[in-house]
Amino acid sequence: MALLWGSTLVVMKGAYSHLSPTDLLANRFLVGALALGLLVPRAWRANARTIGKGLLLGLLFGAGQVLQAVGLSSTPASVNGFIGGLYVVVTPLLGAIFFGKRVPRQIWIAVALATVGLGSLALDPADLGAGIGVGELLTFAASVCFAAQIVALGRFATARNVASLALYQTIGAALVCAICAAPGGIRIASSGSEWFAVLYLGVVCSAAIAVLQSWAQARVEATRASVIMCTEPLWGAVFAIGLAGDPVTLRIILGGVSILAAMVMVVRPPRRRRGLTQDEAGPRQIEQAGIGDLVGDSK
């Protein structure tokens, strides 16, 4: 997921020269919802509770996307990227506030490392010192939306509702983005380059990622998942260096090392105490299922 999200930065940079941020988001999620509905038709078969949960997830994720895009119009891109990535800090806080989730010290250290790495990768020192404005506040609101979506998905996802949650989440995000883009009229992609961007972002980086995230978060605790997702800017830097020819700097190296160290800390097996893991009080135990179950009965 993080690798695919990192690849979107190069694609979106070119698409923004033709489509506004809200138009691109509306195109992206509409195509993603259509692709999921056609490729996984059994995902439509869900009860009202699953549909409602999926739409709520889509509302949170779509709102986060729009808020970050709007915030970008009055915020330096580096600051916008850093603040938007602060969901890695907000996620464990929301889990503790709403669900009483205890976060082990090892995970807090990983969160701190990920935040340092994110700042090193995303922040340009030249953009600092401008103070906090509306753009920064909107972007922070976006990070709260992303964190809430991660926490909620961790509570909602099971091995059997993955496809349906992904479909209705994508539909919810499409509705939010379409409503926000509607006042100025939604411009549909027309040229070959625009359609390439929309199809890649919609099918691969929206539909496929929605399925991957639902499947993964049925098995990985939300705070751990957020730290791993925080490797997105690292992959973005890799693609920018490999495809766009951006230079390799000490700041990128230090940020990459910090984020990778954080990821290693959250994915290594927890210490055991009296035969039980430290995360025993974590998410509920669920039936383990293979990838093939993604397209199974989601009721």
Side-chain angles (χ1 to χ4, degrees):
M1 283 172 51
L3 187 151
L4 290 174
W5 271 337
S7 73
T8 64
L9 301 178
V10 175
V11 177
M12 292 175 71
K13 184 177 180 179
Y16 279 154
S17 61
H18 305 286
L19 295 168
S20 71
T22 51
D23 284 341
L24 180 59
L25 288 172
N27 277 259
R28 170 183 176 176
F29 288 106
L30 287 169
V31 167
L34 181 62
L36 259 176
L38 292 176
L39 295 176
V40 193
R42 297 185 70 177
W44 293 101
R45 299 193 306 175
N47 57 39
R49 288 175 59 85
T50 298
I51 294 173
K53 290 175 180 178
L55 293 176
L56 174 61
L57 292 169
L59 172 64
L60 291 170
F61 191 70
Q65 292 283 341
V66 172
L67 286 169
Q68 187 168 17
V70 174
L72 182 60
S73 63
S74 58
T75 306
S78 62
V79 175
N80 181 273
F82 173 72
I83 298 176
L86 287 180
Y87 61 80
V88 71
V89 178
V90 180
T91 297
L93 294 177
L94 291 182
I97 292 171
F98 290 104
F99 303 111
K101 172 66 178 176
R102 186 184 69 84
V103 181
R105 182 175 60 181
Q106 171 186 329
I107 303 302
W108 278 118
I109 294 173
V111 167
L113 277 173
T115 304
V116 170
L118 179 64
S120 182
L121 283 173
L123 285 179
D124 185 344
D127 293 328
L128 300 177
I132 298 177
V134 174
E136 286 79 7
L137 293 175
L138 289 175
T139 308
F140 181 72
S143 71
V144 174
C145 288
F146 292 143
Q149 185 259 351
I150 293 170
V151 172
L153 183 57
R155 303 288 295 187
F156 296 160
T158 69
R160 297 187 62 80
N161 69 2
V162 168
S164 293
L165 274 185
L167 173 62
Y168 289 104
Q169 173 180 295
T170 308
I171 291 174
L175 290 173
V176 171
C177 295
I179 290 171
C180 293
I186 303 175
R187 182 177 179 275
I188 303 299
S190 56
S191 67
S193 61
E194 292 174 6
W195 273 113
F196 169 78
V198 167
L199 289 173
Y200 180 74
L201 293 172
V203 177
V204 178
C205 298
S206 296
I209 279 182
V211 174
L212 288 174
Q213 186 179 11
S214 296
W215 187 88
Q217 282 205 242
R219 295 154 174 80
V220 179
E221 191 271 335
T223 299
R224 294 177 183 272
S226 71
V227 173
I228 298 172
M229 292 177 202
C230 198
T231 61
E232 173 194 351
L234 173 60
W235 294 112
V238 170
F239 281 105
I241 293 168
L243 299 179
D246 286 8
V248 179
T249 65
L250 179 61
R251 185 163 58 89
I252 289 176
I253 294 174
L254 292 177
V257 170
S258 294
I259 288 178
L260 287 176
M263 187 172 71
V264 169
M265 290 189 71
V266 301
V267 300
R268 71 180 184 181
R271 294 195 306 269
R272 293 183 175 273
R273 180 183 301 166
R274 296 179 184 176
L276 300 176
T277 68
Q278 287 181 330
D279 293 329
E280 184 187 38
R284 65 203 177 286
Q285 295 297 313
I286 62 168
E287 173 189 357
Q288 296 299 304
I291 289 290
D293 291 331
L294 294 181
V295 294
D297 187 357
S298 55
K299 286 191 176 180

